[in-house]
């Protein structure tokens, strides 16, 4: 998140009576100072009222709404901007979503915070904020920025919870939160979210639903069935994942083995066992676990093949690692960690040109990927 204080980019002025922002704007209350966005060329103490543009005031108001939540005049500022720009919520929302798609994270955050400031009671905005934070966390995790990713994940969860508390309920909040929990391997909460989504949409007439709504309902039911059939919402499974992710691998391995004794055909269980073993550098055992995971139904999971490839590389099986990584790439061609691993494999094979191509491709997907940038710098310095 931005390190500088955005409020330092504004100053407050008192406008003369009769001043209007536009023909449709409210009459300005001259007793309340208005925030004004500074121009780049503005020097301290050199403000010229005749050069003031209405857009500076609107930008200043949005900055206050986004970052100064204790300002005593927030309601007044909201009334001004809504009257001056009746479509401001739509404009901000569309711009924020576009910036999120382009992974222009800081500007997307500023736009979402401004949108929240304009209408803090709109729970649909909370849901969009959650989705933005969720995507930002995922991008940072792909780039190896795990601490930053964890922080954004935590923020996303708070917004998901707010959206799920909305009255009337927002079904899509539960649908999207379900996927958030699945990524956290919290299958119990994920299942609850999808079941709630199904309950909220059960009365909808399928003939009146669009293709996206039909897909969401079918997908939610499919996930609920999958979690139930594989017993993935089992408390032992969740406990094992939590222990391993918290660095208590041995305790987590004990838990997941207990789960596998009762659920020997669940691919996720074998994957989790392999993950814990791989973190302990027990390459041969981890390799066997990932192979078992593939055998039990994990053959469509890019992460399983990627993890298997890591073990194969460490065991010196370069050909096997390449085969596994190409399968992972086939399943998820935009996953930068897979592309990075193809780069590392090329380095092990002594093919620096091919490695450079892979690491360059990673940066084309994610310009902030520090690992790929570091490896490219090493290659350049070695020449």
């Amino acid at each position: 998140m931005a390190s500088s204080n955005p409020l330092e980019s504004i100053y407050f002025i008192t406008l003369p009576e009769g001043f209007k922002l536009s023909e449709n704007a409210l009459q300005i209350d001259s007793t309340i100072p208005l925030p004004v966005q500074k121009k780049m060329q503005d020097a301290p103490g050199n403000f010229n009222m005749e050069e003031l543009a209405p857009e500076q005031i609107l930008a200043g108001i949005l900055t206050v709404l986004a970052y100064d939540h204790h300002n005593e005049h927030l309601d007044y500022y909201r009334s001004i901007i809504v009257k001056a720009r009746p479509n401001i919520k739509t404009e901000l929302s569309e711009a924020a979503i576009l910036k999120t798609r382009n992974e222009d994270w800081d500007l997307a955050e500023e736009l979402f915070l401004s949108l929240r400031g304009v209408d803090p009671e709109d729970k649909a905005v909370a849901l969009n904020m959650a989705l933005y934070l969720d995507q930002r966390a995922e991008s940072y995790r792909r780039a190896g920025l795990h601490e930053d990713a964890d922080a954004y994940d935590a923020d996303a969860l708070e917004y998901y919870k707010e959206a799920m508390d909305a009255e009337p309920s927002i079904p899509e909040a539960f649908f999207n939160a379900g996927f958030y929990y699945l990524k956290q391997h919290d299958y119990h909460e994920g299942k609850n979210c999808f079941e709630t989504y199904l309950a909220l949409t059960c009365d909808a007439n399928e003939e009146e639903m669009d293709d996206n709504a039909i897909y969401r309902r079918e997908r939610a039911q499919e996930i609920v069935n999958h979690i139930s059939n594989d017993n993935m919402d089992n408390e032992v499974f969740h406990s094992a994942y939590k222990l391993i992710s918290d660095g208590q691998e041995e305790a987590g391995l004990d838990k997941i083995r207990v789960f596998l004794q009762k659920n020997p055909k669940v691919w996720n269980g074998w994957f989790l066992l392999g993950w814990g073993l791989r973190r302990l550098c027990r390459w041969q055992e981890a390799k066997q676990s990932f192979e078992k995971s593939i055998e039990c139904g994990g053959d469509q999971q890019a992460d399983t093949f990627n993890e298997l490839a890591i073990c194969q590389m460490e065991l010196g099986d370069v050909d096997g690692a390449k085969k596994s990584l190409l399968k992972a790439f086939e399943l998820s061609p935009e996953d930068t960690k897979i592309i990075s691993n193809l780069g590392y494999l090329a380095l092990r094979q002594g093919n620096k040109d091919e490695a450079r191509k892979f690491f360059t491709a990673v940066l084309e997907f994610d310009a902030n990927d520090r690992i790929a940038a570091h490896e490219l710098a090493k290659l350049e310095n070695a020449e």
Side-chain angles (χ1 to χ4, degrees):
M1 299 181 183
S3 57
S4 59
N5 182 2
L7 294 173
E8 293 177 357
S9 69
I10 63 172
Y11 49 84
F12 289 85
I13 63 170
T14 300
L15 295 175
E17 292 188 26
F19 185 93
K20 291 185 179 180
L21 289 177
S22 71
E23 291 298 322
N24 298 323
L26 292 172
Q27 185 75 33
I28 296 299
D29 186 339
S30 60
T31 66
I32 300 177
L34 284 178
V36 175
Q37 185 71 47
K38 295 178 183 177
K39 294 180 180 178
M40 293 294 295
Q41 67 271 24
D42 281 353
N46 194 31
F47 172 69
N48 185 342
M49 179 67 72
E50 294 181 357
E51 297 179 356
L52 176 64
E55 289 75 15
Q56 286 179 266
I57 298 176
L58 298 178
I61 288 175
L62 287 176
T63 299
V64 169
L65 293 178
Y67 299 103
D68 190 3
H69 300 156
H70 301 293
N71 191 296
E72 62 180 316
H73 302 302
L74 291 178
D75 287 339
Y76 173 63
Y77 295 148
R78 288 187 189 107
S79 69
I80 291 176
I81 201 157
V82 170
K83 187 66 183 290
R85 300 282 287 275
N87 296 321
I88 188 65
K89 287 179 61 177
T90 300
E91 294 173 17
L92 290 172
S93 181
E94 291 176 350
I97 291 171
L98 177 62
K99 295 301 178 183
T100 299
R101 288 174 182 164
N102 294 336
E103 297 195 355
D104 189 346
W105 302 122
D106 290 336
L107 186 50
E109 179 175 8
E110 182 178 334
L111 290 164
F112 273 123
L113 289 174
S114 296
L115 186 55
R116 287 275 291 175
V118 171
D119 189 353
E121 301 304 317
D122 189 342
K123 300 306 180 185
V125 175
L127 174 57
N128 283 331
M129 188 75 172
L131 292 168
Y132 147 73
L133 291 164
D134 198 346
Q135 292 177 52
R136 187 167 189 173
E138 188 174 344
S139 174
Y140 279 28
R141 188 161 284 109
R142 289 197 307 267
L145 305 175
H146 296 289
E147 290 186 5
D148 289 338
D150 289 344
Y152 283 108
D153 267 338
D155 290 342
L157 180 57
E158 293 305 310
Y159 280 104
Y160 276 127
K161 288 180 177 178
E162 180 181 340
M164 288 188 289
D165 285 340
E167 290 293 344
S169 297
I170 304 175
E172 289 74 16
F174 294 91
F175 183 80
N176 287 289
F179 284 105
Y180 170 87
Y181 282 116
L182 293 190
K183 285 191 290 186
Q184 305 300 316
H185 295 265
D186 190 341
Y187 297 103
H188 178 73
E189 287 298 330
K191 180 183 175 184
N192 286 342
C193 286
F194 288 117
E195 287 179 333
T196 302
Y197 172 78
L198 290 169
L200 291 171
T201 59
C202 66
D203 292 332
N205 186 339
E206 191 163 308
E207 294 181 357
E208 299 176 357
M209 296 167 63
D210 61 24
D211 290 342
N212 285 334
I214 294 173
Y215 165 78
R216 285 195 296 268
R217 194 154 73 178
E218 291 176 348
R219 182 69 173 130
Q221 188 63 64
E222 177 186 353
I223 292 171
V224 168
N225 293 342
H226 178 56
I227 292 173
S228 298
N229 293 339
D230 285 351
N231 205 18
M232 290 162 57
D233 56 339
N234 182 284
E235 180 56 35
V236 176
F237 184 97
H238 179 62
S239 177
Y241 173 79
K242 188 72 167 61
L243 287 166
I244 293 173
S245 63
D246 288 345
Q248 301 179 59
E249 287 87 357
E250 291 291 0
L253 291 173
D254 289 341
K255 289 279 189 182
I256 197 59
R257 287 190 179 102
V258 170
F259 173 84
L260 284 169
Q261 286 176 0
K262 297 181 179 180
N263 305 275
K265 298 296 184 182
V266 176
W267 73 264
N268 307 70
W270 290 106
F271 178 89
L272 192 53
L273 178 64
W275 183 52
L277 290 166
R278 195 268 293 166
R279 284 167 62 106
L280 293 174
C281 302
R282 291 160 62 175
W283 308 115
Q284 184 62 38
E285 293 173 85
K287 172 179 174 288
Q288 292 170 349
S289 296
F290 290 126
E291 289 173 338
K292 187 68 174 177
S293 176
I294 292 169
E295 179 186 322
C296 291
D299 56 338
Q300 295 302 309
Q301 307 300 319
D303 279 345
T304 309
F305 287 99
N306 183 62
E307 291 285 345
L308 174 59
I310 293 172
C311 298
Q312 291 169 320
M313 276 194 279
E314 293 297 333
L315 292 168
D317 183 5
V318 175
D319 291 339
K322 185 172 185 178
K323 182 178 179 182
S324 295
L325 281 175
L326 290 176
K327 179 62 176 179
F329 181 75
E330 177 187 328
L331 292 168
S332 186
E334 296 184 3
D335 191 323
T336 53
K337 66 177 179 290
I338 295 171
I339 302 173
S340 281
N341 283 337
L342 283 166
Y344 284 118
L345 182 63
L347 286 177
R348 289 206 175 199
Q349 295 175 309
N351 194 335
K352 294 182 179 180
D353 289 338
E354 186 175 351
R356 185 179 290 106
K357 290 177 182 178
F358 283 124
F359 292 127
T360 300
V362 170
L363 292 177
E364 289 174 356
F365 280 111
D366 185 355
N368 296 317
D369 193 301
R370 295 180 184 177
I371 296 174
H374 176 69
E375 292 301 329
L376 277 176
K378 284 171 58 178
L379 286 168
E380 295 300 325
N381 293 333
E383 293 183 350

